[in-house]
């Protein structure tokens, strides 16, 4: 049996007519940049996230960058974030001209440990950038309290967490900015690159929408320097078709996660300490990834691969140890939980259309490895 990490063809088959009609409509108008599809998606996504306003942008990475630009964060400033995340989180801080300052993660959730964040605050700190890794929100209340105490902004990297909830509040609605990605492998994926910034304050969203188009208003008059961070009409049209299906897909992912939890536990590998299943501590986890901990991770991954089961490592090198950040002066051992996570984590196929037989096969192979 073959179990891929993600099966986008299975998803497309269920919505092909709707997608094809939406794409045909954009082609019929030949209006490819901005326009009614983008404005429509912005309104729908803001409502979905529980925010007064949202701005479509060119990618999740650009959502992070344009939020930092709007916040006026740059040279001489520090932004505290996790070293255990996709590169774009810290890369965007660097590109804005600021310094990424890392704080270690809570090993139970892989998200920022608020106590570590509090200890990392300096007089140069301007913002905290929590990441809602794998689809579960970071512990926002203590992070918001630290931000309030020191007058910091909070920029949520919600790229893996659209629709995730913390005490009933949606990702992107608690911090000052929420950054989302429509990369095809996210729970809400486009037909290419795309992203979105949600704002708790509509005036900020207005400024972000200026920055996304070179700060021009009116056309050819620039009061601020922005960039080309625009969302294509085609991407907006595709994402708008998918948004009404998102809750069904995220619920299917959560059901798949519960099934893995049960099958792995029944197989005995959990009791043996060979595998640890993910912990759900927040009110809604959307399972962009289902990530287990395995002490013999690299051997298991190779074994599964040979048996037709795809898996992935998110992420093998924590950001404080990336070659490009050597100048930041971090060393191995600085963030032990992030380094341990980088050695032990393995993401299993969790996409909504995963069948019972596939899940059972994955767990049977893991159990065979553990014997
Ligand atoms: C996907 C992702 C991004 C970047 O999104 P792109 O749309 O690929 O630019 C940023 N942060 C995290 C945590 C992500 O998972």
């Amino acid at each position: 049996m073959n179990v891929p990490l993600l099966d986008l063809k299975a998803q497309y088959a269920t919505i092909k007519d709707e997608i094809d009609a939406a794409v045909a409509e954009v082609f019929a108008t030949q209006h490819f940049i901005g326009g009614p599809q983008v404005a429509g998606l912005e309104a729908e996504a803001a409502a979905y996230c529980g925010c007064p306003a949202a701005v479509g942008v060119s990618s999740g990475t650009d959502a992070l960058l344009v939020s930092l630009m709007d916040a006026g964060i740059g040279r001489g400033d520090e932004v505290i974030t996790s070293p255990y995340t996709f590169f774009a989180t810290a890369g965007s801080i660097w590109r804005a001209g600021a310094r990424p300052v890392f704080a270690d993660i809570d090993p139970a959730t892989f998200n920022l440990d608020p106590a570590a964040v509090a200890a990392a605050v300096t007089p140069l700190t301007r913002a905290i950038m929590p990441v809602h890794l794998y689809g579960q929100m970071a512990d926002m209340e203590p992070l918001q309290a630290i931000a309030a105490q020191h007058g910091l902004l909070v920029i949520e990297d919600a790229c893996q967490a659209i629709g995730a909830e913390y005490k009933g509040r949606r990702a992107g609605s608690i911090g000052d900015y929420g950054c989302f990605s429509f990369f095809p492998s996210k729970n809400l994926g486009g037909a290419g690159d795309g992203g979105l910034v949600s704002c708790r304050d509509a005036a900020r969203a207005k400024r972000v929408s200026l920055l996304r188009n070179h700060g021009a208003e009116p056309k050819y008059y620039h009061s601020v320097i922005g960039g080309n961070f625009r969302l294509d009409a085609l991407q907006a049209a595709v994402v708008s078709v998918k948004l009404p299906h998102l809750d069904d897909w995220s619920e299917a992912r959560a059901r798949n996660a519960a099934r893995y939890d049960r099958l792995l536990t029944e197989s005995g590998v959990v009791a043996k300490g060979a595998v640890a299943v993910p912990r759900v501590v927040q009110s809604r986890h959307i399972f962009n990834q289902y990530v287990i901990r395995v002490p013999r991770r690299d051997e298991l991954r190779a074994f599964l691969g040979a048996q037709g089961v795809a898996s992935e490592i998110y992420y093998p090198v924590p950001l404080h140890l990336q070659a490009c950040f050597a100048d930041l002066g971090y060393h191995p051992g600085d963030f032990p939980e992030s380094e341990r996570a980088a050695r032990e984590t393995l993401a299993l196929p969790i996409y909504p259309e995963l069948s019972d037989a596939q899940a059972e096969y994955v767990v049977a192979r893991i159990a065979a490895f553990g014997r």
Side-chain angles (χ1 to χ4, degrees):
M1 187 184 290
N2 252 307
V3 189
L5 197 63
L6 179 63
D7 185 355
L8 287 173
K9 285 183 188 160
Q11 184 190 73
Y12 178 51
T14 67
I15 51 171
K16 184 175 185 308
D17 293 348
E18 286 176 273
I19 295 275
D20 293 357
V23 169
E25 195 181 317
V26 175
F27 270 86
T29 64
Q30 291 290 299
H31 189 143
F32 293 115
I33 305 287
Q37 284 86 1
V38 171
L41 174 65
E42 288 171 343
E44 293 152 15
Y48 183 82
C49 296
C51 286
V55 182
V57 294
S58 32
S59 68
T61 303
D62 287 341
L64 294 165
L65 180 60
V66 79
S67 298
L68 288 158
M69 289 170 71
D70 183 58
I73 291 172
R75 206 169 302 275
D77 297 332
E78 295 180 354
V79 178
I80 300 172
T81 193
S82 169
Y84 187 64
T85 172
F86 180 57
F87 179 76
T89 314
S92 66
I93 296 168
W94 183 281
R95 284 176 62 204
R99 180 184 175 87
V101 171
F102 296 115
D104 211 355
I105 55 168
D106 174 346
T109 60
F110 305 105
N111 283 326
L112 270 179
D113 173 356
V117 171
V121 174
T122 78
L124 299 178
T125 309
R126 294 282 317 281
I128 303 171
M129 189 179 275
V131 182
H132 307 316
L133 204 69
Y134 305 145
Q136 174 161 246
M137 287 182 70
D139 193 2
M140 291 303 287
E141 252 168 31
L143 294 174
Q144 290 289 124
I146 296 163
Q149 187 191 340
H150 298 279
L152 312 176
L153 291 165
V154 174
I155 302 171
E156 296 177 53
D157 183 340
C159 286
Q160 298 183 7
I162 188 163
E165 291 176 10
Y166 177 88
K167 301 190 178 175
R169 294 168 72 188
R170 290 244 158 126
S173 72
I174 299 179
D176 298 282
Y177 303 87
C179 301
F180 297 91
S181 166
F182 303 133
F183 187 79
S185 69
K186 311 291 168 146
N187 284 34
L188 182 63
D193 281 308
L196 185 99
V197 179
S198 65
C199 295
R200 229 177 35 198
D201 166 2
R204 270 190 211 283
K206 177 83 185 83
R207 294 199 317 252
V208 169
S209 71
L210 267 187
L211 287 171
R212 128 183 102 173
N213 192 23
H214 295 294
E217 188 176 71
K219 211 173 178 182
Y220 307 125
Y221 291 79
H222 305 264
S223 54
V224 289
I225 299 171
N228 175 358
F229 305 125
R230 295 182 299 247
L231 180 65
D232 290 344
L234 272 174
Q235 297 307 333
V238 168
V239 173
S240 272
V241 166
K242 288 188 169 192
L243 183 56
H245 300 280
L246 177 60
D247 283 331
D248 285 345
W249 293 332
S250 292
E251 277 154 32
R253 285 169 177 270
R255 281 196 302 277
N256 291 344
R259 178 175 55 191
Y260 271 142
D261 286 352
R262 178 173 52 77
L263 292 173
L264 285 164
T265 303
E266 285 169 5
S267 80
V269 293
V270 176
K272 259 196 307 200
V275 168
V277 299
R279 292 228 344 239
V280 178
V281 304
Q282 306 307 353
S283 57
R284 187 183 188 214
H285 190 325
I286 62 152
F287 284 98
N288 180 243
Q289 301 297 343
Y290 180 88
V291 175
I292 57 174
R293 273 188 195 268
V294 199
R296 292 164 58 204
R297 191 265 317 271
D298 293 339
E299 286 166 75
L300 173 62
R301 179 158 194 250
F303 178 85
L304 292 177
Q307 317 265 326
V309 176
S311 62
E312 189 52 272
I313 299 168
Y314 303 109
Y315 297 89
V317 182
L319 299 186
H320 67 291
L321 302 180
Q322 292 289 350
C324 66
F325 287 142
D327 288 351
L328 293 175
Y330 291 109
H331 300 288
D334 284 346
F335 303 106
E337 288 302 343
S338 296
E339 293 168 31
R340 185 163 71 92
R343 286 192 303 271
E344 293 185 347
T345 50
L346 191 66
L348 302 178
I350 189 72
Y351 57 90
E353 299 81 8
L354 187 79
S355 69
D356 282 333
Q358 286 175 312
E360 282 160 15
Y361 179 72
V362 171
V363 173
R365 297 297 84 213
I366 293 172
F369 172 79
R371 266 197 289 276

